């Protein structure tokens, strides 16, 4: 059966550029993303530029672009990715408390396949913010859902850590 989802040609270009990430040097990748971003819808352009800066270790440049993309209004899958990636960048630039607040709010925004990613980055941010027990609790609670046995026990231990 064919995929019924119709994608814009620029989506394929974005995917292709990201697929080449490991083969390109940083400067070439960033230059190609800048060129491609000029052809994208503004929300997507800001998000993809932020992601490119973030992925090449330029989190300070990524943060305002993630904020711009979120303010302009991203589609739901990209919006959630942008929140996670913004929170990760904030943690990396020493703003762990802001990252924690952003990810805690994101946990209340609904559920999808990125729930565990939200929890994983929340756990990292909690550690950097000095809340190691809560970080372990979040990580164990997320992990418990994927175990073939001991889910209830591990979930209870996670709650006790946060107690």
């Amino acid at each position: 059966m064919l995929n019924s989802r119709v994608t814009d040609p620029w989506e394929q270009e974005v995917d292709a550029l990201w697929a080449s990430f490991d083969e390109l040097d940083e400067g070439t990748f960033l230059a190609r993303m800048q060129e491609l971003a000029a052809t994208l819808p503004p929300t997507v352009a800001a998000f993809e530029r932020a992601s490119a800066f973030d992925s090449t270790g330029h989190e300070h440049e990524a943060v305002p672009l993630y904020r711009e993309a979120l303010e302009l209004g991203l589609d739901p899958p990209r919006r959630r990715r942008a929140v996670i990636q913004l929170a990760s960048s904030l943690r990396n630039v020493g703003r762990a408390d802001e990252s924690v607040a952003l990810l805690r709010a994101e946990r209340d925004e609904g559920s999808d396949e990125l729930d565990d990613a939200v929890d994983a980055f929340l756990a990292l941010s909690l550690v950097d913010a000095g809340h190691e027990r809560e970080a372990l609790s979040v990580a164990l609670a997320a992990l418990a859902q994927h175990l073939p046995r001991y889910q209830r026990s591990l979930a209870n231990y996670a709650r006790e850590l946060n107690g």
Side-chain angles (χ1 to χ4, degrees), residues 31-97:
R32 287 188 184 169
M33 183 57 78
Q34 282 294 104
E35 291 170 13
L36 180 56
T39 69
L40 301 176
T43 55
V44 176
F47 171 73
E48 293 298 342
R49 287 179 59 229
S51 298
F53 280 124
D54 192 2
S55 295
T56 55
H58 301 280
E59 291 91 350
H60 284 286
E61 290 86 351
V63 167
L65 289 167
Y66 283 132
R67 291 193 190 284
E68 177 185 342
L70 288 164
E71 287 171 16
L72 290 171
L74 289 165
D75 58 85
R78 275 196 183 91
R79 188 206 65 77
R80 193 144 209 226
R81 288 173 47 207
V83 170
I84 293 166
Q85 292 168 209
L86 170 58
S88 176
S89 290
L90 288 168
R91 183 184 74 82
N92 286 330
V93 300
R95 294 161 58 186
D97 289 334

Side-chain angles (χ1 to χ4, degrees), residues 77-121:
R78 275 196 183 91
R79 188 206 65 77
R80 193 144 209 226
R81 288 173 47 207
V83 170
I84 293 166
Q85 292 168 209
L86 170 58
S88 176
S89 290
L90 288 168
R91 183 184 74 82
N92 286 330
V93 300
R95 294 161 58 186
D97 289 334
E98 193 175 344
S99 177
V100 167
L102 194 60
L103 291 166
R104 281 185 174 150
E106 187 60 27
R107 290 174 100 191
D108 296 333
E109 285 294 316
S111 182
D112 65 14
E113 72 277 358
L114 294 176
D115 288 352
D116 291 338
V118 171
D119 287 343
F121 284 97

Side-chain angles (χ1 to χ4, degrees), residues 143-156:
L143 176 62
Q145 302 169 57
H146 302 285
L147 297 176
R149 299 184 58 82
Y150 312 111
Q151 300 94 338
R152 187 176 50 240
S153 296
L154 196 55
N156 286 334

